[in-house]
Amino acid sequence: MASHQGDRYADKTPQEGVVNAAMFADENTNLSPSAKQTYFKDHQILIPDSETKGFSFRKLWAFTGPGFLMSIAYLDPGNIQSDLKSGSTAMYKLLWVLLSATLLGLLMQRLSARLGVVTGLHLAEMCFRQYRKLPRLLVWIMIEVAIIGSDMQEVIGTAIALNLLSNSLIPLWAGVLITAVDTFTFLLLDRYGLRKLELLFGILISVMAIAFGYEYVVVAPNQIEVLKGMFIPWCENCDSRALLQAVGIIGAVIMPHNMYLHSALVKSRDVDRKKPEKVKEANRYFFIEACIALFVSFIINVFVVSVFAHGLYDKTNYQVHNVCVASGNDMADIFPKDNEYVDADLYKGGVFLGCQFGIAAMYIWTIGILAAGQSSTMTGCYSGQFAMEGFLNLQWARWKRVLLTRTVAIVPTFFVAFYSQINDMNDMNDYLNSIMSLQLPFALIPTIAFTSSKAIMGDFANGTLTIIASFLLAAVVIGINTYYVVQLVIDQFSTNYAVIAGVLIFGVFYLLLCLYLFLHMMATLGFCKSFSNSSFVEKYICSSATSNFILSNQSNYSSLTNTGAEDEEEASSSSTR
């Protein structure tokens, strides 16, 4: 039975009992007989054979692509605004938080990529097999909420960029509509092949690097202070605003739907899962690529933080207003004549750069934001496609799925843009970050559970150290983001008892769903045999599909030799062998 899976392999060697998804799943595997083929089946990238056993740049190039598409989530308009606020609020003192969050993101992205490589199923497809119907549908709804929230941030960022680029000739509401239309234009590019699409993303990331790098050079922040902020984990004399912003950085950087995305994107490479050495090789190269991609994203984020740390930290609205008036900028009135510190956002940040460093700085900033919005638009489309295909065991045409989620994202954003001011759109961005932060458990817990299971991953299951580190880091991130959301609710709605009551009701439901995922993880990993074998687990926790890991003609990964333990990338996996 499904409930006994944690126990049935506990006392067996891999040769005797480890059954993993790779033994029954590849790109041709459907979750049910009626399911359509997965998205990448007909256009995978071939991996060149090499006689040399060492590192090959040719192979790295073949594996390059999924990590950079994944890294877009670290560079979307929501992240850029978080960087901007971090610099203007705490100067360089929170760069170490950004670095830590990026490293934590790398750990989780590594696990999600390994799941897709080893099993041939992405995270949402694995959830379909592992969870019972009701909790699975609820988890899917939570992930869709995160995807829609991300979509809304992309819409806001792109609308602001178009408004600035046109010198306010394109109103915000029109920018929202343009963003809705150009999404389908980008979908047409998908027809020209995956490699060309990955090249397009590379170009957009390069545009961001050049645009924000230009601002960094022009503004010329103190390099010593940048390095100190990056490597000294402290925030001297920081107030509550800085603390809340530090929490916001973590929530903005680690996106829940991004783990679902990355686990699916790695399926675009033709990996022979019958050969454990090929799987091991794919894991290694995908990890190297993810390191490079997230390093690039981290540098771009550092550019943004440093520019506004140097330019807007400790500046009042009145001071910036006077700078704009002196430069002849007709947008000076966006900064009221008061002595409050500037509440920075994408729009005000662009206007400030134009006032302080010349109009070219504003337009180049805007081009960078536009690239961020457009690139994250496409990855959002992919995330939704994979979530729907996996959780619901069906595939809609991409244009139908985009139409649905884009409509949900566009409608509220359009009304805010039409009836409100620019500040309302930027306030919405903060709320969206908090909403996405709440969805993190529904990506972190399944990722850790599935990649730690010997029944699913075989000899590629996480080692003891990786499991412990993942548990601790996930608990810290979830705790931090919960604190962030609670503080936001208290600050904004402390006197609105109806909202507080609604939050409490939702909180109970939220905790129950998290509890289900946690109990399922305990049963799957078999940490407590009496619990894993109980009738309660069999009846209410584990899905009957969990037991359907049936041996096929594919090779068992236990044929890997112990020499793999010496490989740096596989060291943590080998610790439990």
Side-chain angles (χ1 to χ4, degrees):
M1 298 298 292
S3 59
H4 298 277
Q5 67 172 344
D7 179 51
R8 71 170 63 152
Y9 304 120
D11 300 321
K12 295 183 180 181
T13 64
Q15 291 85 349
E16 293 172 323
V18 171
V19 183
N20 56 65
M23 297 175 189
F24 71 89
D26 59 20
E27 286 79 358
N28 297 314
T29 301
N30 295 319
L31 298 181
S32 76
S34 62
K36 296 181 181 180
Q37 297 296 319
T38 53
Y39 175 70
F40 291 120
K41 176 187 179 295
D42 296 323
H43 42 288
Q44 288 184 318
I45 306 300
L46 296 177
I47 306 301
D49 289 326
S50 176
E51 297 296 331
T52 59
K53 295 183 179 180
F55 178 80
S56 168
F57 280 103
R58 188 173 171 222
K59 284 191 175 182
L60 178 61
W61 177 249
F63 282 105
T64 296
F68 281 90
L69 267 68
M70 168 273 295
S71 72
I72 294 295
Y74 293 72
L75 295 169
D76 70 3
N79 274 287
I80 300 302
Q81 174 149 317
S82 177
D83 295 336
L84 187 155
K85 287 194 170 214
S86 169
S88 62
T89 300
M91 213 170 183
Y92 309 100
K93 299 173 185 176
L94 296 180
L95 281 173
W96 66 273
V97 178
L98 176 63
L99 176 60
S100 302
T102 303
L103 291 175
L104 175 58
L106 175 62
L107 169 65
M108 300 313 300
Q109 297 299 159
R110 172 180 176 267
L111 296 183
S112 65
R114 284 168 65 88
L115 180 69
V117 170
V118 173
T119 68
L121 298 175
H122 59 69
L123 185 55
E125 289 173 324
M126 194 60 71
C127 287
F128 180 88
R129 286 189 171 270
Q130 293 290 312
Y131 296 142
R132 288 189 171 273
K133 185 174 182 179
L134 178 59
R136 168 170 54 85
L137 292 177
L138 293 176
V139 171
W140 169 66
I141 290 172
M142 291 297 193
I143 297 303
E144 285 292 347
V145 167
I147 293 171
I148 292 169
S150 180
D151 273 351
M152 293 180 72
Q153 287 185 320
E154 295 150 14
V155 170
I156 292 171
T158 305
I160 290 173
L162 291 173
N163 182 268
L164 280 172
L165 202 58
S166 66
N167 198 24
S168 299
L169 291 177
I170 299 178
L172 292 174
W173 61 266
V176 170
L177 295 180
I178 292 172
T179 306
V181 174
D182 69 12
T183 300
F184 295 95
T185 303
F186 272 81
L187 283 176
L188 293 176
L189 298 175
D190 189 33
R191 295 179 175 271
Y192 291 95
L194 179 63
R195 213 58 172 145
K196 292 183 176 64
L197 191 64
E198 290 174 345
L199 176 62
L200 173 64
F201 279 104
I203 293 172
L204 291 172
I205 292 174
S206 299
V207 169
M208 284 184 268
I210 293 170
F212 299 138
Y214 169 85
E215 308 290 354
Y216 186 84
V217 172
V218 168
V219 174
N222 188 313
Q223 304 302 304
I224 301 298
E225 292 299 317
V226 171
L227 291 175
K228 286 170 60 179
M230 200 179 300
F231 296 109
I232 298 178
W234 191 247
C235 191
E236 187 177 2
N237 299 322
C238 287
D239 56 16
S240 58
R241 291 190 311 144
L243 175 62
L244 200 58
Q245 190 56 45
V247 175
I249 290 173
I250 298 173
V253 167
I254 305 173
M255 298 282 191
H257 58 285
N258 211 34
M259 281 170 256
Y260 288 86
L261 174 68
H262 200 193
S263 67
L265 290 174
V266 296
K267 294 172 61 177
S268 63
R269 268 52 182 178
D270 186 17
V271 177
D272 186 356
R273 294 183 179 83
K274 296 179 182 179
K275 299 179 180 179
E277 64 274 10
K278 294 295 185 182
V279 175
K280 179 180 176 182
E281 176 187 75
N283 282 333
R284 180 169 66 251
Y285 280 106
F286 276 131
F287 180 64
I288 293 172
E289 188 229 2
C291 288
I292 296 171
L294 290 189
F295 175 75
V296 172
S297 74
F298 173 71
I299 295 300
I300 294 174
N301 283 315
V302 168
F303 286 161
V304 178
V305 173
S306 302
V307 163
F308 291 96
H310 180 84
L312 272 184
Y313 177 71
D314 212 23
K315 293 285 182 64
T316 65
N317 287 313
Y318 190 72
Q319 288 174 312
V320 178
H321 179 90
N322 288 340
V323 170
C324 289
V325 170
S327 67
N329 193 309
D330 57 6
M331 293 187 239
D333 289 340
I334 195 172
F335 300 99
K337 298 178 183 179
D338 59 39
N339 290 318
E340 297 290 328
Y341 289 123
V342 175
D343 184 15
D345 52 48
L346 296 176
Y347 191 86
K348 290 180 181 177
V351 174
F352 162 74
L353 291 173
C355 295
Q356 184 76 47
F357 302 102
I359 197 66
M362 184 186 80
Y363 286 128
I364 291 173
W365 162 261
T366 303
I367 290 171
I369 297 298
L370 191 61
Q374 292 305 299
S375 56
S376 54
T377 289
M378 194 64 182
T379 55
C381 295
Y382 275 132
S383 298
Q385 175 77 9
F386 297 138
M388 182 168 287
E389 140 188 314
F391 279 108
L392 302 184
N393 193 22
L394 60 85
Q395 285 188 332
W396 279 10
R398 280 186 296 286
W399 70 267
K400 292 180 180 179
R401 202 217 67 82
V402 172
L403 181 62
L404 174 63
T405 57
R406 276 278 145 174
T407 301
V408 176
I410 291 290
V411 170
T413 310
F414 173 80
F415 280 104
V416 171
F418 191 83
Y419 292 106
S420 305
Q421 302 298 320
I422 184 68
N423 289 337
D424 297 308
M425 294 190 73
N426 287 295
D427 290 340
M428 183 188 291
N429 192 75
D430 293 334
Y431 293 126
L432 293 174
N433 273 338
S434 67
I435 289 172
M436 285 187 287
S437 297
L438 282 174
Q439 316 312 320
L440 269 174
F442 310 115
L444 291 178
I445 296 176
T447 300
I448 295 171
F450 301 154
T451 57
S452 300
S453 171
K454 294 284 283 186
I456 294 174
M457 299 287 285
D459 283 353
F460 286 101
N462 296 331
T464 303
L465 292 179
T466 300
I467 294 175
I468 294 173
S470 301
F471 268 119
L472 293 177
L473 292 174
V476 169
V477 170
I478 292 170
I480 286 174
N481 284 290
T482 302
Y483 167 81
Y484 174 73
V485 173
V486 170
Q487 283 297 116
L488 190 65
V489 170
I490 291 174
D491 291 342
Q492 300 294 326
F493 305 106
S494 58
T495 59
N496 192 326
Y497 297 108
V499 172
I500 296 296
V503 169
L504 290 175
I505 294 172
F506 173 77
V508 173
F509 153 77
Y510 178 86
L511 291 175
L512 287 174
L513 186 55
C514 290
L515 179 62
Y516 170 83
L517 296 182
F518 180 77
L519 292 177
H520 185 280
M521 178 169 61
M522 294 298 99
T524 301
L525 301 185
F527 285 164
C528 178
K529 293 183 180 180
S530 59
F531 173 73
S532 299
N533 297 333
S534 67
S535 58
F536 171 80
V537 169
E538 180 179 344
K539 186 173 182 180
Y540 297 108
I541 303 298
C542 288
S543 166
S544 59
T546 306
S547 61
N548 291 337
F549 289 82
I550 303 173
L551 282 169
S552 72
N553 294 325
Q554 297 188 9
S555 173
N556 194 323
Y557 288 158
S558 61
S559 60
L560 279 173
T561 64
N562 290 331
T563 57
E566 299 173 1
D567 185 280
E568 179 181 352
E569 210 278 319
E570 294 295 322
S572 61
S573 301
S574 303
S575 62
T576 56
R577 297 178 191 174

